[in-house]
């Protein structure tokens, strides 16, 4: 969710974050999060970016063709590695599933619905992992992949403030969203966040974006309150 | 020297050393890095693949996925990437992820899910290379796995029918091809003049689309419109796999033939001159008679070896 907020903040568009239990059903694609603008509802990063672009705001206009290709490639890398690793950790690692994911996912619902829904989601995620070949991976291998991905991101970022030098782009928003979630979510073990913390330029990057886009808007208090409550819910 | 390494993978056709993208990637990487691999193509024997192809066997270790095989080769000091900077290494990972997310679903669809393609080309080809009775079962299983993978990774809620998923994945694949073409530009390989891991992966994914003759070929037609990618595949095939590029670049073949003819004419002229010289020498009593090899109009590499013999 944070990558969307970050992206919209970077475009200087004011947003209000609302948490709803039936959010997955309100969304047109069943995926969270989604934005509700006037009488239009758009979900998922790709369509949201295009929607915002159609309204005249775009972050990647300053890039040439090769850079745009690179940006798309890196976004796929993040989706491929980090997102899948996050899903794996949440749903395929038995300890984490029992202690954290099941309670959190099922919390808006009464028993037995909470158990049924979370088992269903777990089964779905495990099926997907099997199809792409991640089912045979152990936790160490997944962490190693995350490490490789972070190393690649860290090397690409280097000493620049953003991935494509001076201006933030969709890639920065996406990376921020994932890394911040990894760094602030409390799991059974801290290994995942430790992997990210090994790369100091990545942690500095997250802090910089947080300061610039999430704490700088003092007047728009609802956004910061919502961001802080989102943080708190992640830390639960 | 490292122990001998054996690679089991699917064989090839239509000018390719292998039809299977992952097998092709590993073979290309081995050629680029100079690793001595003996390639065993799976044929009609009972040593049928247990699902994970390609498989590298070195002494006692058995390694199955392309990424792991490449890692193993790198550890054995067959590294095609040692000239890359850290950032280029990072770019490699990113582009490989792009290929797997955007291009692979469409590739799998073209080979295994598209009904006409599957029934007329893929199934008979693979069935002919697997022993009976597994040949009745394996192609169907591979097809089901491919469809499963496509649906699970791409068939999310807004895309409710298979036709919508297909339309989306082909759109993504064409976009991916366009991005690759832009990234390659006019250079010979993705990172300069020497091929690297990324070139192996791109070649492995593109070459089957480019070369295999299917009845339904929308992806191939799109690829043909990107001449730098076609040139990239042809270059690798002709330089590293010593296979003739037939049919798809007639202009290239003609110039090659013309050059070869000129070369053999020159060589013939040289040898005629030398024959005359030799005759003169033979007439003088001190030198023993010498035999000369006659030149034939030979194809490929044989044309160059007489030239080597004749050069001072």
């Amino acid at each position: 969710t944070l990558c969307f907020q970050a992206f919209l903040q970077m475009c200087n568009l004011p947003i209000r974050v609302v948490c709803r239990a039936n959010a997955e059903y309100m969304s047109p694609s069943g995926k969270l999060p989604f934005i509700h603008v006037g009488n239009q509802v758009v979900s998922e990063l790709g369509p949201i970016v295009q929607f915002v672009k159609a309204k005249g705001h775009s972050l990647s206009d300053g890039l040439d063709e090769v850079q745009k290709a690179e940006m798309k490639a890196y976004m796929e890398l993040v989706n491929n590695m980090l997102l899948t690793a996050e899903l794996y950790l949440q749903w395929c690692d038995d300890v984490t599933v029992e202690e954290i994911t099941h309670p959190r996912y099922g919390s808006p619902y009464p028993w037995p619905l909470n158990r049924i829904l979370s088992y269903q989601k777990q089964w779905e995620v495990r099926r997907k992992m099997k199809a792409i070949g991640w089912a045979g991976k152990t936790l160490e291998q997944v962490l190693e992949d995350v490490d490789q991905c972070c190393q690649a991101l860290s090397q690409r970022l280097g000493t620049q403030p953003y991935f494509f030098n001076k201006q933030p782009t969709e890639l920065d928003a996406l990376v921020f969203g994932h890394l911040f979630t990894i760094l602030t979510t409390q799991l059974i073990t801290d290994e995942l966040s430790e992997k990210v913390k090994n790369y100091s330029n990545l942690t500095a990057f997250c802090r910089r974006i947080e300061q610039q886009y999430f704490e700088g808007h003092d007047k728009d208090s609802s956004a910061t309150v919502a961001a802080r409550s989102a943080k708190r819910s992640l830390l639960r | 020297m490292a122990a001998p390494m054996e690679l089991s993978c699917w064989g090839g056709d239509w000018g390719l050393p292998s039809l299977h993208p992952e097998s092709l990637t590993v073979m290309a990487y081995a050629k680029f890095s100079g690793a001595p691999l003996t390639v065993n193509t799976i044929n009609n024997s009972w040593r049928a693949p247990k699902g994970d192809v390609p498989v590298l066997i070195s002494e006692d270790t058995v390694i199955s996925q392309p990424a792991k095989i490449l890692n193993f080769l790198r550890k054995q000091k067959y590294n095609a990437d040692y000239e890359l900077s850290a950032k280029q290494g990072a770019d490699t990972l990113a582009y490989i992820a792009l290929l797997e997310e955007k291009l692979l679903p469409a590739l799998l669809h073209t080979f295994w899910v598209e009904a006409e393609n599957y029934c007329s080309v893929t199934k008979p080809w693979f069935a002919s290379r697997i022993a009976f009775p597994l040949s009745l079962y394996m192609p169907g299983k591979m097809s089901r796995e491919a469809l499963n993978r496509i649906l699970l990774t791409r068939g999310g809620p807004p895309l409710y029918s298979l036709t919508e998923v297909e339309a989306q994945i082909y759109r993504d694949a064409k976009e991916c091809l366009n991005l690759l073409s832009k990234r390659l530009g006019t250079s010979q390989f993705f990172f300069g003049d020497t091929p690297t891991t990324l070139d192996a992966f791109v070649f492995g994914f593109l070459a089957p689309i480019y070369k295999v003759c299917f009845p339904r070929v929308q992806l191939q037609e799109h690829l043909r419109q990107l001449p730098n990618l076609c040139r990239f595949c042809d270059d690798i095939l002709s330089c590293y796999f010593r296979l003739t590029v037939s049919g798809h670049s007639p202009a290239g073949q003609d110039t090659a033939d013309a050059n070869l003819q000129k070369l053999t004419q020159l060589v013939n002229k040289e040898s005629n001159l030398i024959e005359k010289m030799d005759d003169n020498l033979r007439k003088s009593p001190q030198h023993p008679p010498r035999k000369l090899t006659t030149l034939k109009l030979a194809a490929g590499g044989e044309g160059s070896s007489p030239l080597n013999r004749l050069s001072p």
Side-chain angles (χ1 to χ4, degrees):
Chain A
T1 326
L2 277 171
C3 49
F4 297 88
Q5 279 177 262
F7 172 68
L8 292 168
Q9 300 272 27
M10 286 171 188
C11 294
N12 281 325
L13 296 170
I15 54 164
R16 200 161 58 98
V17 176
V18 178
C19 303
R20 291 266 176 81
N22 61 343
E24 271 185 0
Y25 295 101
M26 279 165 69
S27 158
S29 74
K31 294 217 172 96
L32 291 178
F34 63 93
I35 58 174
H36 179 211
V37 178
N39 56 354
Q40 282 176 308
V41 187
V42 186
S43 67
E44 290 199 53
L45 187 60
I48 290 183
V49 169
Q50 280 176 333
F51 178 77
V52 166
K53 196 167 176 179
K55 298 287 181 191
H57 303 264
S58 173
L59 290 179
S60 50
D61 279 342
L63 301 180
D64 65 30
E65 294 295 340
V66 174
Q67 285 179 313
K68 277 194 192 154
E70 252 189 61
M71 185 180 83
K72 294 235 166 87
Y74 274 96
M75 283 171 78
E76 288 307 325
L77 179 67
V78 171
N79 275 333
N80 203 345
M81 288 276 180
L82 286 184
L83 188 62
T84 323
E86 280 166 28
L87 275 179
Y88 180 92
L89 211 60
Q90 278 183 343
W91 294 101
C92 301
D93 179 38
D94 294 320
V95 182
T96 317
V97 166
E98 263 314 305
E99 306 250 337
I100 297 193
T101 322
H102 270 314
R104 181 164 41 155
Y105 191 74
S107 60
Y109 311 103
W111 194 91
L113 196 57
N114 56 356
R115 299 297 274 179
I116 296 175
L117 285 176
S118 51
Y119 273 119
Q120 193 183 39
K121 176 91 180 172
Q122 183 179 15
W123 183 75
E124 257 178 53
V125 171
R126 288 217 174 156
R127 248 181 90 200
K128 185 173 167 181
M129 292 290 157
K130 196 164 160 217
I132 59 174
W134 277 58
K137 290 202 183 184
T138 61
L139 189 59
E140 284 79 36
Q141 284 171 328
V142 170
L143 288 173
E144 229 182 84
D145 285 338
V146 170
D147 192 43
Q148 233 185 16
C149 178
C150 290
Q151 193 183 31
L153 288 173
S154 174
Q155 281 162 353
R156 180 68 185 78
L157 184 62
T159 48
Q160 299 168 326
Y162 300 108
F163 277 94
F164 286 96
N165 217 359
K166 298 289 186 299
Q167 291 298 322
T169 55
E170 289 91 353
L171 178 61
D172 299 283
L174 187 67
V175 172
F176 170 72
H178 281 286
L179 291 183
F180 195 80
T181 316
I182 293 178
L183 286 171
T184 52
T185 314
Q186 234 170 0
L187 296 172
I188 298 293
T189 56
D190 280 331
E191 285 169 10
L192 197 57
S193 53
E194 286 304 315
K195 292 279 176 201
V196 176
K197 279 184 197 154
N198 279 334
Y199 299 98
S200 56
N201 60 349
L202 291 181
T203 43
F205 170 78
C206 288
R207 207 164 296 130
R208 200 183 318 125
I209 293 200
E210 189 194 342
Q211 281 170 345
Q212 200 164 358
Y213 291 100
F214 285 93
E215 289 170 18
H217 297 250
D218 286 326
K219 288 187 191 138
D220 195 358
S221 54
S222 56
T224 45
V225 163
R228 271 195 226 116
S229 66
K231 249 197 271 182
R232 254 183 267 128
S233 64
L234 287 172
L235 286 169
R236 201 200 322 145
Chain B
M1 216 32 212
M5 298 183 279
E6 249 185 57
L7 181 74
S8 293
C9 57
W10 292 110
D13 218 336
W14 291 283
L16 291 176
S18 173
L19 282 200
H20 188 224
E22 283 151 6
S23 311
L24 207 50
T25 307
V26 176
M27 284 206 249
Y29 184 83
K31 295 274 182 194
F32 297 160
S33 60
L37 278 188
T38 36
V39 177
N40 293 335
T41 53
I42 294 167
N43 56 17
N44 214 343
S45 67
W46 273 102
R47 290 179 58 203
K50 299 283 191 287
D52 270 349
V53 175
V55 176
L56 182 75
I57 304 175
S58 164
E59 291 182 335
D60 298 328
T61 33
V62 176
I63 310 165
S64 62
Q65 284 165 355
K68 290 190 196 154
I69 297 180
L70 260 52
N71 269 341
F72 178 79
L73 287 175
R74 273 187 217 116
K75 286 200 190 109
Q76 303 284 327
K77 309 274 188 274
Y78 296 112
N79 191 355
D81 295 340
Y82 61 91
E83 280 180 5
L84 292 186
S85 71
K87 181 184 169 305
Q88 287 173 324
D91 281 351
T92 304
L93 271 184
Y95 278 102
I96 292 174
L98 184 71
L99 282 175
E100 279 180 5
E101 284 287 311
K102 299 277 181 185
L103 192 56
L104 185 61
L107 184 70
L108 286 176
H109 187 271
T110 309
F111 268 73
W112 295 99
V113 181
E114 174 71 60
E116 251 186 76
N117 292 348
Y118 174 64
C119 294
S120 57
V121 177
T122 319
K123 189 163 151 193
W125 194 91
F126 277 89
S128 66
R129 279 161 179 75
I130 305 174
F132 183 85
L134 271 180
S135 61
L136 296 176
Y137 167 68
M138 282 291 290
K141 176 168 172 255
M142 289 165 83
S143 168
R144 275 193 299 276
E145 275 174 7
L147 181 62
N148 214 12
R149 183 176 174 144
I150 294 175
L151 285 180
L152 281 179
T153 51
R154 301 319 221 99
L159 306 168
Y160 283 106
S161 69
L162 188 56
T163 41
E164 287 176 27
V165 178
E166 286 168 13
Q168 178 65 32
I169 59 180
Y170 277 104
R171 264 202 299 272
D172 283 340
K174 287 176 188 165
E175 199 197 311
C176 178
L177 290 175
N178 292 342
L179 289 177
L180 285 174
S181 180
K182 282 187 199 127
R183 175 66 184 76
L184 182 60
T186 49
S187 44
Q188 186 169 17
F189 296 110
F190 277 90
F191 293 116
D193 292 331
T194 44
T196 57
T197 309
L198 181 59
D199 300 289
F201 269 90
V202 174
F203 174 70
F205 281 77
L206 288 186
I209 304 176
Y210 182 38
K211 291 287 186 181
V212 179
C213 303
F214 282 120
R216 295 282 185 88
V217 282
Q218 50 167 319
L219 211 50
Q220 193 181 70
E221 281 159 19
H222 189 87
L223 182 56
R224 295 262 174 89
Q225 294 169 12
L226 299 166
N228 60 350
L229 290 180
C230 299
R231 194 241 328 136
F232 171 79
C233 289
D234 289 334
D235 278 348
I236 294 188
L237 277 174
S238 54
C239 295
Y240 290 93
F241 288 101
R242 295 273 186 276
L243 294 171
T244 53
V245 183
S246 57
H248 292 292
S249 57
Q253 189 69 354
D254 283 347
T255 49
D257 279 344
N259 286 339
L260 194 60
Q261 271 185 334
K262 277 189 216 156
L263 191 64
T264 28
Q265 276 169 3
L266 274 171
V267 167
N268 277 332
K269 261 190 235 167
E270 287 262 75
S271 67
N272 287 339
L273 281 172
I274 291 180
E275 264 189 59
K276 281 195 198 129
M277 271 168 58
D278 239 2
D279 280 340
N280 293 338
L281 281 173
R282 244 182 263 133
K283 287 190 186 122
S284 65
Q286 290 121 356
H287 297 275
R290 277 186 354 189
K291 280 191 209 153
L292 259 189
T293 53
T294 49
L295 261 181
K296 287 173 255 182
L297 188 71
E302 294 170 48
S304 59
S305 45
L307 190 61
N308 285 338
R309 265 182 265 143
L310 292 169
S311 61

